[in-house]
Amino acid sequence: MSQIDIRERLGLRPIINVSGTMTSLGASIVVPEAVVAVTAVLPQFVEINDLQKKASTVIARLCGTEAGFVTASCAAGITLAAAGAMTGPNLGAIERLPDTLGLKNEVLIQMGHMVGYGAPVEQGVRLSGARVVPIGQATHARRYQLESAITERTAAALYVVSHHTVQFGLIPLEEFVEACHARGVPVIVDAASEYDLKGFLAAGADIALYSAHKFLGGPTAGIVAGRKDLVRAAYLQNSGIGRGMKVGKEGIVGTIAALQAWETRDHAAVRARETSALTLWHHTLSDWPGVNATIVPDPTNNPLERLQVSLEPSAAHITAWDLADALAAGQPPVIVRDHEVEHGFFYLDPCNLHPGEETIVAERLVAELELARQSNEIIATPLERRRNRGAEALMRWPV
Ligand SMILES: *Cc1c(COP(=O)(O)O)cnc(C)c1O
């Protein structure tokens, strides 16, 4: 039976995603093992606490730690972990949140980690009722600043590992952990997009948080992993503020399946497919006037590379952002990674492609660049107009 693309039935554009794992584009291609598991559990009843015990065992094994559970998202994990650090297993305190009266209620975070991933990372902390205490400045944090911020009110410290954060001048995780542990402060690591399931906990983090729907290819969910007492305290928030961050049986089962698939996945073969897409695009763009393409490593050392495509508008007849927009507007729409586009480049990320899509991307690149070459004028939309486009579109939603 031929499968009709559900997007067509819903009247949605059949986009090709070369921007990476983006919540706003539907995150990732869910691995077949997770799809099967989700389908199998949906019609069945299960005892959720028992299912979460099974999840704990699998998470503990893959993360090399004591315990874990599945929640709605990594963002939910931030809130639940902060809440757990404040309340411990005190069910009364859990029901009183976000009122933190009588609790340690401060969570430390380096200023350079106070980023947005679609929402402010520190808002996830504040949602629990905790007060956020910034450490240092945007591009500068030192151990003494962290140490002098630790008081009897400090409940936890949050450390963010992400390409979004400032990548220099801040306190390395090992030193951050050492300074916090010396004063009995637990460290929560937001590692939402990081492929390394063990390293941050091995480096001393007490809790590590991951998204199930990013590199793992699970359904939309979050993973909380780490020290048993802290994981339990976070889990208990499901009887309080965690209720609105509830994950269903399908999210838990799908996450377990994605983790198990990750364990047995042929990572070398995946990498080889990604490399062949990069090589194709690189080859396609080589010698194109005004285009400079370079394969670059991931900024936080995930085992993945991207193609950085820089445009020289005078020679290519188009700016990087106009090319990104043309690719997104065409048939089929190709969505590139454009968060740094004001510097005159975007990236092509090969990790969310269906077979054959890499060729379509290459053809679309050539088609748009050819159109630009034939244009008498240099296609250069003022960047100001583009910058606020997303917010303006949101103000019109649902139109
Ligand atoms: C994606 C991301 C999040 C949010 O993860 P969700 O699971 O989508 O809530 C949090 N922190 C960082 C660093 C991220 O990249």
Side-chain angles (χ1 to χ4, degrees), residues 146-234:
L146 174 61
E147 285 173 342
S148 78
I150 297 175
T151 69
E152 67 287 345
R153 293 182 304 279
T154 309
L158 178 64
Y159 195 98
V160 182
V161 183
S162 167
H163 70 274
H164 292 295
T165 67
V166 173
Q167 301 293 319
F168 59 91
L170 303 185
I171 307 170
L173 179 60
E174 286 77 1
E175 189 181 2
F176 192 88
V177 165
E178 202 179 281
C180 287
H181 284 182
R183 307 283 293 274
V185 174
V187 174
I188 301 159
V189 174
D190 171 3
S193 275
E194 304 307 301
Y195 286 46
D196 184 353
L197 290 174
K198 290 194 168 130
F200 310 111
L201 291 160
D206 299 279
I207 284 194
L209 307 168
Y210 296 92
S211 298
H213 47 275
K214 292 184 175 174
F215 61 98
L216 285 169
T220 300
I223 295 167
V224 178
R227 228 173 77 189
K228 194 178 285 178
D229 59 330
L230 288 172
V231 169
R232 181 185 295 129

Side-chain angles (χ1 to χ4, degrees), residues 73-83 117 121 124-125 128 158 188 190 209 224:
S73 60
C74 180
I78 294 171
T79 306
L80 300 180
Y117 47 75
V121 76
V125 175
S128 69
L158 178 64
I188 301 159
D190 171 3
L209 307 168
V224 178

Side-chain angles (χ1 to χ4, degrees), residues 124-136:
V125 175
R126 286 191 284 113
L127 260 179
S128 69
R131 204 170 78 79
V132 171
V133 177
I135 305 298

